[in-house]
Amino acid sequence: MNSRLRQWSRRYAACLRRYVAQGQEAVLQEAYELGREASTRGVGVLEMARIHQRALAACLVAARQVEAKVRVLRAAETFFMETLAPFEAAHRGFLKANLELQDANQALEAGNRELERTNRQLEREVAARARSQSALLQSEEHFRELFHEAERMQESLRQLSNKILHVQEEERKRVSRELHDEVGQALTAISTSLEMLRRDAAAGPQSLLGKIADAQNLLAQTMDAVHRFAQELRPPMLDELGLLPALRSYLRGFAERTGLRVSLNGTAGAEGLSDEQKTVVFRVAQESLNNVAKHAQAKRVAVTFRQLKGSVQIRIQDNGKAFQVERQLAGGAKKRLGLLGMQERTRLVNGRFDITSAPGKGTTVSVEIPLGSPRNPAAGRHGSLGPPKPRVAPPKQNGTRFFDLR
């Protein structure tokens, strides 16, 4: 026990003796102050009990009678309880502060949980915003590509339209020139022959028959030229007999003109196409074969029809030299005209156009046309060719037939 505590113990014992002797309220107030001083100095309750026990023992020694000892014990009890009152107040304050601290901790934990929940929600929102921004950038890039592609297609179509107009004018010039040179000259010769016949009618029957034969030959040649022009503009067999007979006739003439070995592998399903679709297939085959004759340096070409599920496919395959399709499509309008024309024709009937070319394998043009595809409303039921002509039923074709045309 240090000196301060011993001094405080003596003061406590003296104050206890005065209260036992006098029992005044002022002494109890002094006991309360002693207890508060002890609490402030950090004296423990157990230490207070020992000090009180020693002071009480001294008071009991001084009391000799039993009644006096009982009175001392009661007074000492009241005095000790008053001394412990500051400890009780401090303990209650500690309990209250502890409860408040627990409440604050619980509130802090709830705030932390709410903050964590808010942080998670914020992270999700940030991630969602990042995904949205990424999707927006991708969508923007996609639409930019679509826009550029649309611009390229528009430019291609513009060039194609201009070139088609130019080609139409050139074709009209060619037909006009052919009509003037061939048909016009033939008709002039016929007219001259007829005039000579009129003048030489009296010369004799033998001379007259020879000149009539010459005029008939000129007339037959003129009729052949007119028929050839009509055939080139649109083959009548396509409307009268169907797609395969028209192609067979065209391929036979193509083989005779070019010397190529041409084969046709047909299927009856091709006749299930509409008139407009048949025209597209015929023109694509015609353009492809012209390209083979002009550029491929091929020895043979095969035209093959296949009936697929819900569609008909035609393939024109040659064994000539290959070319780079990408470069050809990216070339000038003059070079692309044939390919773009075939693509555009196929697109108008909801078909699919494809072309492949590889060294040693030649070039293959493939067109797939859906069966039952709706016709172009602007063309009417029979296209732009006027009312339908009488149709002759095509010959029956069971499965696939093969034609080798030389």
Side-chain angles (χ1 to χ4, degrees):
M1 186 181 296
N2 56 36
S3 58
R4 289 186 177 183
L5 186 57
R6 283 193 296 270
Q7 183 181 1
W8 184 88
S9 299
R10 288 193 292 270
R11 289 170 55 201
Y12 182 87
C15 187
L16 177 60
R17 287 193 299 271
R18 286 200 307 274
Y19 183 73
V20 170
Q22 301 174 5
Q24 298 178 353
E25 288 292 330
V27 180
L28 287 178
Q29 182 63 33
E30 188 175 351
Y32 181 83
E33 294 296 334
L34 285 172
R36 189 171 62 178
E37 182 180 349
S39 176
T40 304
R41 291 183 176 182
V43 179
V45 177
L46 294 178
E47 188 66 27
M48 286 285 296
R50 285 195 294 270
I51 294 172
H52 177 74
Q53 186 67 24
R54 287 195 295 269
L56 176 59
C59 292
L60 289 175
V61 171
R64 297 187 179 276
Q65 296 180 357
V66 175
E67 292 82 359
K69 290 182 182 295
V70 172
R71 184 176 60 81
V72 169
L73 288 174
R74 290 177 179 174
E77 180 182 0
T78 302
F79 184 86
F80 187 59
M81 293 299 294
E82 192 68 24
T83 306
L84 292 179
F87 287 88
E88 179 66 19
H91 180 65
R92 290 179 180 176
F94 173 76
L95 291 178
K96 182 179 179 182
N98 189 32
L99 292 176
E100 292 177 354
L101 181 60
Q102 290 179 358
D103 293 341
N105 287 335
Q106 292 177 357
L108 183 60
E109 290 177 358
N112 288 335
R113 290 192 296 270
E114 181 66 20
L115 182 60
E116 290 178 357
R117 188 185 65 80
T118 304
N119 287 336
R120 289 193 297 269
Q121 184 177 359
L122 182 60
E123 289 176 355
R124 289 193 295 269
E125 291 178 356
V126 170
R129 182 173 298 179
R131 290 192 299 270
S132 300
Q133 186 175 6
S134 177
L136 182 61
L137 292 175
Q138 293 178 359
S139 177
E140 182 179 358
E141 183 65 24
H142 178 64
F143 282 120
R144 187 181 296 110
E145 293 177 357
L146 290 179
F147 178 74
H148 292 327
E149 182 66 21
E151 286 185 335
R152 290 192 294 270
M153 292 179 63
Q154 185 177 6
E155 179 64 19
S156 297
L157 290 177
R158 186 184 66 81
Q159 294 178 1
L160 178 62
S161 299
N162 293 336
K163 199 64 181 178
I164 287 175
L165 292 177
H166 177 72
V167 170
Q168 286 178 345
E169 291 300 322
E170 292 296 325
E171 184 67 14
R172 288 173 181 176
K173 290 180 182 179
R174 186 187 70 82
V175 173
S176 176
R177 185 169 56 250
E178 294 290 339
L179 288 174
H180 179 272
D181 294 343
E182 293 189 22
V183 179
Q185 292 179 6
L187 291 177
T188 301
I190 293 173
S191 177
T192 303
S193 298
L194 292 176
E195 179 65 21
M196 292 176 65
L197 285 174
R198 185 181 65 80
R199 292 178 181 178
D200 300 338
Q206 195 66 30
S207 175
L208 184 61
L209 290 176
K211 292 182 179 180
I212 290 176
D214 292 338
Q216 288 177 338
N217 290 333
L218 288 174
L219 185 59
Q221 293 176 5
T222 304
M223 292 177 62
D224 290 340
V226 172
H227 290 162
R228 187 173 69 253
F229 292 150
Q231 180 76 15
E232 290 180 357
L233 292 176
R234 181 174 178 86
M237 293 182 66
L238 186 60
D239 297 317
E240 296 174 357
L241 299 180
L243 177 60
L244 292 179
L247 266 179
R248 187 183 305 112
S249 176
Y250 179 80
L251 291 176
R252 184 175 291 108
F254 176 82
E256 292 175 355
R257 292 194 307 271
T258 61
L260 294 175
R261 186 174 184 269
V262 183
S263 64
L264 173 63
N265 191 355
T267 176
E271 300 301 339
L273 298 174
S274 66
D275 292 343
E276 183 181 4
Q277 291 171 331
K278 291 178 181 179
T279 302
V280 169
V281 171
F282 185 86
R283 293 306 183 193
V284 169
Q286 191 177 39
E287 179 65 26
S288 300
L289 291 170
N290 288 336
N291 290 337
V292 172
K294 291 179 182 179
H295 309 294
Q297 299 178 7
K299 294 184 178 179
R300 65 177 181 272
V301 59
V303 180
T304 306
F305 283 87
R306 292 177 58 198
Q307 183 163 358
L308 307 177
K309 185 178 181 180
S311 64
V312 173
Q313 181 190 64
I314 177 174
R315 299 178 65 188
I316 301 96
Q317 185 175 12
D318 64 72
N319 66 340
K321 66 179 183 179
F323 67 96
Q324 293 185 1
V325 178
E326 297 289 340
R327 179 178 299 179
Q328 188 74 11
L329 289 174
K334 185 175 181 180
K335 295 181 179 180
R336 293 185 297 166
L337 178 62
L339 295 179
L340 289 177
M342 289 189 286
Q343 285 180 330
E344 185 63 16
R345 284 181 182 274
T346 306
R347 185 188 67 81
L348 290 177
V349 292
N350 299 324
R352 186 174 64 183
F353 177 85
D354 183 48
I355 181 169
T356 59
S357 186
K361 296 183 179 180
T363 301
T364 301
V365 174
S366 176
V367 174
E368 185 176 338
I369 307 293
L371 289 170
S373 177
R375 293 189 175 97
N376 187 354
R381 178 170 178 81
H382 302 286
S384 59
L385 302 177
K389 299 180 179 180
R391 297 289 301 272
V392 177
K396 289 187 177 181
Q397 300 185 30
N398 297 325
T400 301
R401 296 181 63 188
F402 181 79
F403 305 95
D404 189 3
L405 306 174
R406 296 180 182 271

